[in-house]
Amino acid sequence: MKPYKVLTINPGSTSTKVALFQGEECLYSQTVSHEAKELEQYASMSEQLPYRRDTVLTLLKEAGIRLEEVDVFVGRGGGLIAMEGGTYGVTDLMLEHARTCANGVIHPAALGSQLAHEFAQAYGAKAMVVNPPDVDELQDLARMTGIRGVHRIIHLHALNLKETAIRHSKNVMKKPYAECRYVVCHIGGGISISAHEKGRMIDGYDIVGGEGPMAPTRCGSISVANLLEYMKMNQAGLEDVKKLCTRTGGFVNHMGISDAIELTERAKAGDRYAGLLWDSMIYQIEKCIGAMAAVLHGQVDGILLGGGMVHNQDLVKQITDACSFIAPVTAYPGEFEMEAMAAGAIRVLEGEEELKTYTGTPVWDGFDWE
Ligand SMILES: Nc1ncnc2c1ncn2[C@@H]1O[C@H](COP(=O)(O)OP(=O)(O)O)[C@@H](O)[C@H]1O
Ligand SMILES: CCCC(=O)OP(=O)(O)O
């Protein structure tokens, strides 16, 4: 069978990643980092589209990649209404929801489907997205809040969390993902901590909604009282708070940077503020891992760490020291997002999996007594 060519595009909060695959083989991969200040100039997400497109085009031109040969362009996907996991065709409805960030989340992942669509139109190929951050597999216990009619929803790095769990199951546990129980973390520009049981992500944090640990670009969980006081003192409105949850919180708020390498260098050079900020983020990650281990009743086969910051040995050591009483900690520095996107598209092209159609109807829509 002809090995399909797949171009994967991954717009993240601190980077744009692009990779070309032929079958499972990665022919080319490149990452461009974006500092917070560079992205600040764009008032809306759609204003970032030409910048991200040009970033991708420049990389591909430099590498001499012939886009005419690509069978399918895959974007990361985002801005969508809560959906089942899987590979989806990019449709008009998906594009409309991505453009308007229909789920209320302003994050560059929503540019993924739009970029894939633009390239696919230009080169007569297919456009798809795989396991966007809007995948919802929560157990009912995780949906209830203390306010009637308000339900928890989550947005996290579903793509990398699931791929990491699938690979660890195959290569280390020698069992199917559906038979393993994990706490899986993605520690990047945003930080996802999630509980996986029987091949489903049954709980996790809404990392663009102000839940979970603080992260390079996110404020993470703070108390309602703290937030109300902050809003009063700073005359901050809803839009300011939303930005703190997705773009301007965490390292960006404290230090004006999202780069963990620079933050840790400042800490090493004796900046105690930078040092405490770094250690506090790790402490918050450890607390969230503990919570997800309790969701799994302590029966955890492994704690899996992925994402850019997992390249940092100190972070891995601190988490291992704090959490290995729960289960073995395994570090997968970087991510498998590009591989996961290519694999999802190829499974569909080879007929192993059906291409799903985005309905725009939430996968879960309230308890039956409501
Ligand atoms: N070698 C490294 N050591 C420490 N931190 C790193 C390293 N490489 C990347 N990072 C940090 O990881 C974060 C980005 O992670 P990544 O998973 O690529 O993010 P995203 O996809 O969310 O943009 C940044 O804060 C970056 O500084
Ligand atoms: C929308 C959630 C995914 C996410 O936070 O990705 P980044 O870490 O790339 O910002």
Side-chain angles (χ1 to χ4, degrees):
M1 193 181 297
K2 173 189 162 206
Y4 290 102
K5 273 200 173 168
V6 184
L7 191 97
T8 55
I9 307 165
N10 185 349
S13 59
T14 62
S15 64
T16 304
K17 295 172 186 154
V18 58
L20 178 68
F21 291 83
Q22 181 149 33
E24 282 185 2
E25 189 191 352
C26 180
L27 303 178
Y28 166 83
S29 169
Q30 197 57 259
T31 299
V32 175
S33 298
H34 311 294
E35 245 322 324
K37 281 202 175 63
E38 194 184 355
L39 299 179
E40 241 167 43
Q41 58 182 301
Y42 302 104
S44 69
M45 207 38 70
S46 52
E47 284 175 36
Q48 271 193 39
L49 187 69
Y51 167 65
R52 300 272 185 163
R53 183 206 304 124
D54 292 348
T55 303
V56 172
L57 279 173
T58 307
L59 290 175
L60 297 176
K61 202 170 162 203
E62 277 167 12
I65 288 170
R66 289 176 45 79
L67 292 176
E68 299 76 12
E69 293 173 1
V70 173
D71 295 292
V72 49
F73 292 87
V74 188
R76 184 181 185 190
L80 307 174
I81 304 298
M83 61 211 285
E84 269 179 18
T87 300
Y88 287 79
V90 175
T91 58
D92 288 345
L93 179 65
M94 181 185 283
L95 288 170
E96 185 196 320
H97 284 191
R99 282 185 193 122
T100 54
C101 294
N103 61 2
V105 176
I106 312 295
H107 184 280
L111 300 172
S113 55
Q114 300 173 61
L115 290 166
H117 172 73
E118 282 194 11
F119 282 109
Q121 289 288 101
Y123 293 96
K126 294 183 170 62
M128 300 179 189
V129 302
V130 182
N131 281 331
D134 316 305
V135 167
D136 178 338
E137 299 175 341
L138 288 180
Q139 59 180 350
D140 278 356
L141 277 171
R143 296 192 187 277
M144 188 68 95
T145 72
I147 304 179
R148 190 187 174 99
V150 177
H151 308 122
R152 282 191 66 240
I153 46 164
I154 59 169
H155 301 92
L156 30 64
H157 298 86
L159 185 62
N160 194 42
L161 298 170
K162 282 187 154 281
E163 187 68 15
T164 305
I166 290 167
R167 285 172 183 239
H168 189 81
S169 306
K170 188 172 169 216
N171 301 331
V172 178
M173 302 299 292
K174 315 279 183 207
K175 292 201 281 194
Y177 169 41
E179 289 174 21
C180 300
R181 299 155 71 93
Y182 300 122
V183 177
V184 193
C185 311
H186 177 101
I187 307 177
I191 300 179
S192 295
I193 319 283
S194 55
H196 296 234
E197 185 182 56
K198 297 187 182 152
R200 293 177 65 81
M201 211 162 48
I202 60 169
D203 205 348
Y205 295 95
D206 185 8
I207 65 160
V208 285
E211 273 195 338
M214 75 158 112
T217 60
R218 323 260 152 103
C219 60
S221 300
I222 63 169
S223 79
V224 175
N226 272 167
L227 179 62
L228 293 176
E229 184 63 14
Y230 172 85
M231 290 176 77
K232 197 168 131 194
M233 297 294 287
N234 295 278
Q235 280 144 24
L238 292 185
E239 291 312 312
D240 301 307
V241 173
K242 278 191 182 176
K243 277 193 196 162
L244 281 169
C245 294
T246 56
R247 284 169 74 174
T248 59
F251 299 172
V252 174
N253 190 266
H254 283 274
M255 301 268 156
I257 55 168
S258 59
D259 182 0
I261 300 177
E262 187 176 340
L263 184 87
T264 48
E265 274 166 6
R266 286 189 196 180
K268 257 195 216 144
D271 182 338
R272 288 174 47 242
Y273 181 12
L276 186 61
L277 184 61
W278 175 250
D279 288 343
S280 303
M281 177 194 72
I282 297 173
Y283 171 74
Q284 292 183 9
I285 294 171
E286 292 159 0
K287 287 209 294 189
C288 292
I289 291 175
M292 290 298 122
V295 164
L296 297 171
H297 294 196
Q299 291 167 32
V300 184
D301 294 311
I303 298 168
L304 315 181
L305 311 179
M309 280 194 284
V310 175
H311 287 290
N312 183 289
Q313 298 296 317
D314 170 58
L315 175 138
V316 174
K317 182 177 183 315
Q318 287 203 45
I319 296 176
T320 306
D321 288 350
C323 299
S324 55
F325 77 95
I326 299 168
V329 177
T330 309
Y332 292 101
E335 30 74 23
F336 302 116
E337 286 175 343
M338 313 310 274
E339 291 86 343
M341 284 195 271
I346 288 169
R347 281 196 299 274
V348 167
L349 293 172
E350 293 188 344
E352 278 174 42
E353 209 177 285
E354 231 171 84
L355 184 68
K356 293 186 175 171
T357 303
Y358 174 66
T359 62
T361 308
V363 66
W364 184 87
D365 198 16
F367 294 109
D368 54 16
W369 57 84
E370 289 174 334

